[in-house]
Amino acid sequence: MAEIIQKDGTWVFDGDALRLTPGRDKNVSLLRRELGELLVPLAALAGVSFEQGKKSGRLRLRLRDGADPLLHATGGRLTEPHDPYQLLVESDRYGVAEYFVDEVRNALLLDQVPSGPVDAYLLPGPSVPLSVSAGDGVASFDGERVRLEWKWQAEDSKSAAGPRTLPLADIVAVEWQPTVGLENGHLRFTVRAAPSKVPPKYDPNAVELWGFKKDPLMALVAAAVQARLPHPAARPALEDAGPSEESPAPAPAPAPAPAAEDDHDALLRRLRELGELHRSGVLTDEEFTLAKQAILKRM
């Protein structure tokens, strides 16, 4: 197991998944605190890196495209303080961070985790029900429907229309856009058979955001809805799954070679045993490095 504890948060890797817990420091963003602890399966990872600086460094996880509904709904627009897959590391813990990266990378290599996109979400998204008040409205989601209520600052066109209730079955897409410069952000829902091209300020299916502290929390609503929509990369189910003359049944896949699988598992267990011996002080750094390299070469 590898663990790094910082004011920014705590990351723990047990060989199968990473547990990311936000810190309680005042500099930890409201979005990360509300999102809470994340359990990221190894299969959802595309890579990990550590960047050193003079005073502090940063651990970064790179997830496979389509693995996390939060990243998909926000389109990569989460700024650094709000990104749950970054961890600020103090300079005296650089060695721990580098060891953490080595452990995760070795596990990705040993488990032969591909780095390409996936066609199903591997993380569940934020829990529901949830409700966020920001910008010109309040967005609530209970897992089945979205409700939009307007504040007194909302445009007359929204206020006159009253609260909106959008069944999940009617929503085909959701988008969260942060405020950038003088451009306001928004949380917008695209509704089946009723697409809207008006600005979010006037769109009854959108909440306009003005760049205040709670604006990023609207990303949680977007992610919770996105997690319950069909995955954008999922292949449509075939109406007739049975074989036909035009599409003959595929040949059965060859059975895997048990000997190679057994050897892989044995090497994996040996590598973890070496890690335990190294952490307990039985093996020196040099001995552990040489033994680990020998096992990786065999794999």
Side-chain angles (χ1 to χ4, degrees), residues 5-6 12 41 43 58 86 124 148 195 215 235 251 258 280 286 288:
I5 303 174
Q6 294 290 276
V12 179
R58 193 169 295 277
Q86 297 188 32
L148 302 177
D215 281 11
R235 298 177 181 176
S280 62
E286 183 178 0
F288 172 67

Side-chain angles (χ1 to χ4, degrees), residues 71-149:
L71 294 184
H72 183 84
T74 56
R77 293 182 290 267
L78 279 178
T79 55
E80 187 173 289
H82 310 299
D83 188 346
Y85 302 113
Q86 297 188 32
L87 182 71
L88 195 66
V89 179
E90 298 172 359
S91 58
D92 62 344
R93 306 299 288 172
Y94 281 1
V96 178
E98 290 171 346
Y99 173 74
F100 190 94
V101 168
D102 286 343
E103 289 290 289
V104 176
R105 285 178 176 172
N106 287 339
L108 289 171
L109 177 63
L110 293 174
D111 286 11
Q112 299 181 355
V113 177
S115 59
V118 297
D119 58 6
Y121 293 122
L122 302 181
L123 282 85
S127 58
V128 294
L130 58 84
S131 180
V132 176
S133 173
D136 66 353
V138 179
S140 305
F141 181 54
D142 62 4
E144 296 181 358
R145 59 188 62 83
V146 172
R147 182 172 175 83
L148 302 177
E149 301 174 79

Side-chain angles (χ1 to χ4, degrees), residues 2-3 20 54 76 100 109 163 172 186 213 218 222 230-231 256 272:
E3 180 182 59
L20 315 180
K54 292 183 179 180
F100 190 94
L109 177 63
V172 296
H186 63 263
K213 183 178 180 180
M218 283 293 183
H231 194 281
R272 289 175 177 168

